[in-house]
Amino acid sequence: MIEVTELTKRYGRTVALDGLSFTVRPGRVTGFLGPNGAGKSTTMRILLGLDRPDSGTATIEGRRYCESHRPLHQVGALLDATALPAGRSALDHLRWQARSNRIPQRRVVELLEEVGLAGVAHQRVGGYSLGMKQRLGIAAALLGDPPVLLLDEPVNGLDPDGVRWIRQLLRSLAGQGRTVLLSSHLMSEMALTADQIVIIGRGRLIVDTSVAELTERFRRGVLVRSPGETELAGLLIKAGAEVELEPGGGLTVSGLEPSAIGELAALHGIALHEVTPRSASLEETYLALTASSIEYSGGTSQ
Ligand code: ADP
């Protein structure tokens, strides 16, 4: 479990974190979201002991990262995939890390296979594409088979195949009971990967909830299509629902569950062709929630 409690961090006059608290639990993928400059990387760096908070605590399994004796066995992290020694091969890069934590060399070979770099393991990483560097970073994070993973924007630079690969990998790691914290500024990516979402803006918590709950919270009625639309609309209004006619045909019904709409239609012998609960997309929800905390945004000039 990862616990961030009342974290505060300033850089000069910039308040990067402003009393941030949240908990990340095992067995699921937690998406850590926020616009650029929200404080995600600062939080990750503090969790890994690379930066000190002005106040507050950040612990992993109840301890600060720097108190770990064999850290690769406890926490796997990928903060910046490009921070690599350009002249070294992927194989050597993983080998020294493995040795530093007494991890058998066969694990290195195994992981190079798993992340799809076995064929280029002897090449110098300076010539790698960003996607290949991300894969290498993931391999390094997994070296010690850690129960906790912290990954900062790991899908950046990956092609669609790579994105799908990482999504499946993270889901399976969480399925094994690991704690997976994954940051991104893209909600669309998180909607497909995460179970839980922590959104921050300007160093503060905006939302900490499940993807399902977030979707539910921004429900936008139920789309109903029926050949008996006019009669059904009257019945729905009588039953207390709000009904709007859709320009392209169909009704948007608010205030009644899909099951209640179906039963009302059945009671009056009205056929239904479609009953679809509608939500704002997670992307729209995210934009609405973070609108006021965007550091730099494009706009029309006056
Ligand atoms: P995110 O990862 O969400 O994009 P960061 O944690 O990188 O956000 O940054 C949060 C805020 O702190 C931003 O305003 C950023 O400019 C500032 N910041 C981050 N690191 C430093 C630093 N080393 N020196 C000065 N300001 C920093």
Side-chain angles (χ1 to χ4, degrees):
M1 185 150 111
I2 299 173
E3 279 188 289
V4 168
T5 312
E6 291 291 323
L7 272 194
T8 304
K9 175 74 186 173
R10 278 172 179 276
Y11 294 103
R13 290 169 61 186
T14 307
V15 179
L17 297 177
D18 190 6
L20 181 65
S21 302
F22 63 90
T23 303
V24 183
R25 291 177 203 288
R28 44 183 123 158
V29 176
T30 299
F32 188 32
L33 278 144
N36 287 329
K40 304 180 295 296
S41 301
T42 304
T43 308
M44 293 254 188
R45 282 201 307 272
I46 292 175
L47 272 165
L48 294 169
L50 298 170
D51 227 332
R52 274 168 185 275
D54 297 331
S55 63
T57 56
T59 58
I60 299 172
E61 311 281 30
R63 279 187 300 185
R64 290 191 302 142
Y65 181 79
C66 53
E67 291 164 0
S68 292
H69 294 301
R70 295 200 305 162
L72 293 184
H73 293 272
Q74 276 134 20
V75 184
L78 171 57
L79 288 197
D80 178 359
T82 62
L84 286 170
R88 199 169 289 162
S89 70
L91 187 62
D92 287 342
H93 177 65
L94 293 182
R95 267 187 182 154
W96 78 259
Q97 292 185 68
R99 194 164 298 167
S100 72
N101 274 242
R102 299 192 184 171
I103 294 164
Q105 296 296 308
R106 65 167 188 283
R107 175 81 180 143
V108 169
V109 177
E110 211 176 272
L111 276 167
L112 283 166
E113 275 296 334
E114 190 176 334
V115 303
L117 293 177
V120 291
H122 292 279
Q123 289 177 21
R124 296 185 338 163
V125 298
Y128 276 21
S129 68
L130 179 56
M132 289 159 84
K133 289 176 182 169
Q134 296 279 30
R135 286 173 184 263
L136 179 56
I138 303 267
L142 293 176
L143 264 181
D145 203 12
V148 177
L149 285 155
L150 293 184
L151 309 169
D152 198 3
E153 304 266 4
V155 300
N156 270 357
L158 289 181
D159 57 17
D161 249 2
V163 172
R164 189 165 345 124
W165 167 75
I166 203 166
R167 189 180 294 150
Q168 282 164 355
L169 176 70
L170 296 177
R171 296 225 46 88
S172 90
L173 291 167
Q176 295 159 6
R178 295 174 214 255
T179 306
V180 182
L181 180 65
L182 170 70
S183 84
S184 178
H185 60 285
L186 295 175
M187 187 61 159
S188 47
E189 181 43 45
M190 288 299 181
L192 296 167
T193 313
D195 311 286
Q196 189 75 13
I197 299 276
V198 172
I199 303 179
I200 66 170
R202 294 190 188 275
R204 292 191 198 164
L205 183 71
I206 297 178
V207 170
D208 177 359
T209 186
S210 66
V211 170
E213 204 278 326
L214 202 58
T215 311
E216 182 62 28
R217 200 189 302 180
F218 288 84
R219 271 270 286 272
R220 295 239 179 101
V222 182
L223 176 68
V224 179
R225 292 187 200 279
S226 160
E229 214 167 88
T230 318
E231 186 189 351
L232 182 62
L235 292 166
L236 288 165
I237 291 167
K238 254 195 224 152
E242 271 177 44
V243 178
E244 274 175 58
L245 289 175
E246 289 293 307
L251 311 170
T252 294
V253 183
S254 313
L256 274 189
E257 289 299 306
S259 53
I261 297 170
E263 275 167 30
L264 190 67
L267 199 65
H268 292 85
I270 299 170
L272 293 177
H273 289 180
E274 183 178 353
V275 182
T276 311
R278 288 202 303 197
S279 328
S281 71
L282 280 178
E283 193 71 47
E284 288 172 274
T285 306
Y286 169 63
L287 290 173
L289 287 168
T290 55
S292 63
S293 51
I294 292 177
E295 196 173 33
Y296 307 103
S297 63
T300 23
S301 47
Q302 305 276 316

